[in-house]
Every structure is written in C-alpha cells, then in structure tokens.
Amino acid sequence: MKLFVPILALFVTAFGINGTCQSNENNAAWEVAATISKNMVEPTFPDKVFNIVDFGAVPNGKTKNTKAINAAITKCSDEGGGQVLVTNGVFLTGAIHMKSNVNLHIDAGAVLLFSTDPKDYLPLVRTRWEGDDCYNYSPLIYADGQTNFAVTGKGLLDGQGSTENWWPWKGSKNSGWIKGAPSQLDQNNRPQLKKYNDNQVPVEKRRMGNGSFLRPQFINFIHCKNIKLEDFTIKNSPFWVLHPLLSENVIVRGVTVNSEGPNNDGCDPESCKNVIIENCTFNTGDDCIALKSGRDFDGRKENKPIENVIVRNCFMRKGHGGVSMGSEISGGCTNIFVENCQMSSPELDRAILIKTNNRRGGITDGVYVRNVNVGEVKDAILSINCSYHIETEGEGKFPPLIRNVFLSNVTSKKSDYAIWLEGIKREKCVDNIHVENCEFTGVKQKNHIINVGKVTIKNVMINNEPLNSEN
C-alpha cells in the first residue's frame, strides 16, 4: 500500500524543526494550518441571476419543481455561470444536480422542500454508502465531476426525513421501524453491499437503489473541486447530511445542521483534500463531524486519505462525536486541525473521537486540537478506539496506526473519562499522544489507557489535581 506523507513532516524537513519536541511540533503544525487556510480557493461567479420561477417553479409546497430547478441550473452553467435564485416561498422538489459555475442561492424566507418519494431520486448515481462504493439513489443535492459551484443563502433545506418515511429503513424501532417492514438490514441489502466490497466486485455491478433501502445523503458531491456551502439551515436528512467525497477545496461556512435521525452525521468529508468547516452549528443524530476515507478494500484501493482539514469556531451540540475520525478510514487521515470550538450536550457522547479496527485499518497521522471548550459529554474528551465494532465485524488483517495526536488548551466540566485510549494487544497501533495545558473537571473515572505506545500528559488538571506523566 502506498503511504502518504503528512504535510507537517515536509515542513519539519524543510525548516529543521525538531519533531521530538511537542511545543515545536505543535507550533509548526499550526503554521501549516495557516498556510492551508490561506491557499484555499473560493468559487466565484458572474453577476447573472437565473430565477427558478422564470423556469416554471411554483412556490406552493405541493407542485414538484424538479425539472424547473434543474433547467435553471443547466441554463446557468451553459451560459458561463451565475446565481440560480430560490426566492421566497416553499418549493417542493426531487433530486437537484449541481453543475459547474453555478451558485444555488436560497434566499431568507425560501424553503427547498424535498420529496420523500424514492422515485424522485432516480436514476441511480455513483456514490459511497458508509464507505462502500456503489450506485444508489441520487442524494437530494448531488454533483459529479463539477468545478466551481456553491449552495448559499439564509434559507432552509428541508429533507423531511422522519419516522414516517426514510428513517425506518434503518431497521431500528427507535427510527419508526416495525416488525415485518423492509430495511437496509434485510438480506441482499446492506449485507450485500458489504459482500460486494469484501469480494472486490466492480462498482459498476453494485446497483442498489430500489429494494435496497439504502437511504440517500442530503448533499453529496464526488470528484469535484472548488465548492462552497454557506449560511443555510438544513434539517431532517434521510441519512448523512453533508458528504463531500473524493473532492478538493471544500468550504463549509456558517451552516446550521438540525438533523437527529439515524446515521444523520452532520458533515462527513471523505477522501477529500483541503477542507475548511467553520462557524457552523451541529445538532445531529450521529457524529457532528466525521472525517472518512472509505471502508476496507474500497478505501485501500482508492488510497485517498482525508487530508488538510480545518475545523474552527463551530458549536457541537447533540451527537455521537464532536469531531470524529473514522470509522470508515481505510484510506488514511492526516493533517487535521480543530480549534476554537464549543462542544456541550448531555446527548453528546465524545468530544474528539478516533475509531477504527483491524479490518478497516488506515493510518491516522497528525491530529491537532487546541482551544476547545467542552461543557459536558457522556463519555470522554479524547477517545481512541482501535476495536470499533470488532465484535460484529470480526478480526481482520489490517491493523490501524494512530499517531501524533496533540491536545492543548482544552477544558471540560463534565465527563465519564478525560482520556480513553485503547489499542490492540500485540500491535503498537496508538503512539505519540500528547495532552498538554488542559483542565478537566467533573470527571467520574480514571483515565483508561491500555495497549498503547508513548503517551505524554503535561500540565493537565483533572478534578483540580495535577497530572504529569509520560510512558
């Protein structure tokens, strides 16, 4: 397997920084983050407006406007680009497919209301479903191979996901499923997609969609470049909410996510390079932010890590993890920066979470977290789990590697654990973990640290008691 090299390592080589010193390495890393931010390319658009009403869209919340909206997008792109305007009113629609040089702008007071009829998301499109490559229902907003586009505005995107339509497909009673109803857990659905991955079946033959009960993502784009998602509120997704995939130069700014359904991750950049997520609010049914790079064979074959990601000035409320890496992380993960965030809810499980196992593997190298204020979480502030779901998936032959993780200036007021690290016995898969200048109060349990390599804890207060250690 081809190994990627973290940008920080190149920086250290070029400038002679001693990587064995935490403060120097941390400082060098944040200089790299500043360079990534400075070099981001934002999309720009000609000063032309294409109002969807002029293409026949009707804002009554009942008429399906799929053809009108997509016609406006096509016309805009064909004429060199500009703004496709969704003005005041409620516009019912099926799948919207973005094109190059188009800014889909949802005005304040405007609502894009998405159909809950699966037929409105055909034909099938190329995507990934929980890290497995496939053709599935079109995401509600989708793009493939496009450049320089955006979804912006102060309006509302409503996926209408609920226990009455998409969510029961999860197969859980908590999501509205009743005994005898079909779900993704039925034979030939989710298990079949996993078999396709295990058996290395060509993706062209992995046709899901009708009868598969694999819910579509809300916003998903693949093989795209220079994208911005900005300012809108998005709620009630069928599945993952924001899912950039195999794309580059992605900005998510000022977006509010309210989506508490099953697997309703807030933002899941997967196998992307150069991503900024800033000034966003997440209230989700799963991870608020989850960084991914494919599952098992599919992730290793593509060999595209999630890299150069900056998360800053965000507020994480309900969710499984504030910022998570994994669990679909087989392609690797490097140069992740989290700063100036607030995380707090009795329904938020963990603040920083890295999860994988020896079936999924992957190298996570270079995670830098600073200036994060945690009110309360259920479980741990920093959690690393190298046996995630191993009890259901079984042992594999691809031990993960997680190294060079730095937490500094992180505070919390309530949690079961401050630090929870668990590697794999006989495998040195967790190494060089640093926690410095942090204060954790309201901690119920002692730190859980087993089967790991070097862990340095410096100038840390836990329940008002100092802790300094290195192993």
Side-chain angles (χ1 to χ4, degrees), residues 330-342:
S330 301
C333 175
T334 187
N335 296 325
I336 310 302
F337 304 92
V338 181
E339 66 174 337
N340 302 326
C341 292
Q342 296 185 53

Side-chain angles (χ1 to χ4, degrees), residues 296-350:
D296 301 348
F297 170 78
D298 288 349
R300 287 186 284 272
K301 179 184 178 183
E302 193 72 50
N303 195 24
K304 291 288 180 65
I306 174 71
E307 60 180 322
N308 302 348
V309 179
I310 299 171
V311 178
R312 60 192 178 199
N313 305 317
C314 291
F315 191 3
M316 291 77 172
R317 293 191 173 99
K318 182 177 179 181
H320 290 180
V323 177
S324 298
M325 283 136 274
S327 59
E328 300 86 15
I329 202 78
S330 301
C333 175
T334 187
N335 296 325
I336 310 302
F337 304 92
V338 181
E339 66 174 337
N340 302 326
C341 292
Q342 296 185 53
M343 306 182 187
S344 185
S345 170
E347 300 301 319
L348 180 62
D349 292 339
R350 302 162 189 91

Side-chain angles (χ1 to χ4, degrees), residues 117-371:
D117 185 349
K119 294 187 181 67
D120 289 326
Y121 302 96
L122 295 173
L124 307 183
V125 299
R126 173 73 181 269
T127 186
R128 274 183 184 169
W129 205 92
E130 288 192 340
D132 294 328
D133 293 330
C134 66
Y135 283 80
N136 193 36
Y137 290 114
S138 172
L140 282 54
I141 298 178
Y142 177 74
D144 184 354
Q146 305 301 305
T147 301
N148 194 68
F149 66 87
V151 180
T152 66
K154 300 287 187 179
L156 173 65
L157 306 179
D158 186 351
Q160 298 198 88
S162 76
T163 55
E164 301 298 321
N165 48 68
W166 297 111
W167 295 350
W169 290 9
K170 167 69 173 180
S172 167
K173 292 181 180 179
N174 294 334
S175 305
W177 182 84
I178 59 175
K179 188 175 181 179
S183 78
Q184 69 190 44
L185 302 177
D186 289 351
Q187 188 65 31
N188 298 324
N189 297 334
R190 181 69 182 95
Q192 182 60 53
L193 183 54
K194 186 176 183 300
K195 289 179 182 177
Y196 285 152
N197 189 337
D198 290 343
N199 296 326
Q200 304 177 22
V201 173
V203 67
E204 290 76 16
K205 295 183 178 181
R206 305 183 192 184
R207 314 291 295 189
M208 308 309 289
N210 186 34
S212 71
F213 302 101
L214 301 183
R215 294 160 285 150
Q217 308 96 315
F218 204 132
I219 298 179
N220 169 233
F221 43 87
I222 181 172
H223 300 134
C224 294
K225 188 173 183 179
N226 299 349
I227 309 103
K228 181 167 68 175
L229 307 175
E230 186 173 54
D231 287 343
F232 54 83
T233 295
I234 188 167
K235 72 175 187 177
N236 296 338
S237 178
F239 181 55
W240 290 357
V241 183
L242 309 176
H243 183 205
L245 173 60
L246 292 162
S247 296
E248 186 173 345
N249 289 339
V250 179
I251 296 171
V252 182
R253 178 184 296 137
V255 173
T256 298
V257 177
N258 289 312
S259 198
E260 296 184 27
N263 310 110
N264 277 195
D265 293 15
C267 186
D268 289 17
E270 183 169 7
S271 296
C272 291
K273 182 177 182 180
N274 301 336
V275 179
I276 292 180
I277 306 169
E278 61 183 358
N279 306 322
C280 295
T281 299
F282 297 94
N283 189 55
T284 63
D286 209 310
D287 294 322
C288 295
I289 295 173
L291 309 177
K292 301 176 180 290
S293 59
R295 181 196 292 253
D296 301 348
F297 170 78
D298 288 349
R300 287 186 284 272
K301 179 184 178 183
E302 193 72 50
N303 195 24
K304 291 288 180 65
I306 174 71
E307 60 180 322
N308 302 348
V309 179
I310 299 171
V311 178
R312 60 192 178 199
N313 305 317
C314 291
F315 191 3
M316 291 77 172
R317 293 191 173 99
K318 182 177 179 181
H320 290 180
V323 177
S324 298
M325 283 136 274
S327 59
E328 300 86 15
I329 202 78
S330 301
C333 175
T334 187
N335 296 325
I336 310 302
F337 304 92
V338 181
E339 66 174 337
N340 302 326
C341 292
Q342 296 185 53
M343 306 182 187
S344 185
S345 170
E347 300 301 319
L348 180 62
D349 292 339
R350 302 162 189 91
I352 304 297
L353 170 62
I354 304 175
K355 48 184 173 176
T356 183
N357 60 37
N358 60 13
R359 289 183 61 91
R360 304 183 187 188
I363 301 173
T364 298
D365 191 347
V367 177
Y368 305 89
V369 180
R370 69 179 182 184
N371 305 332

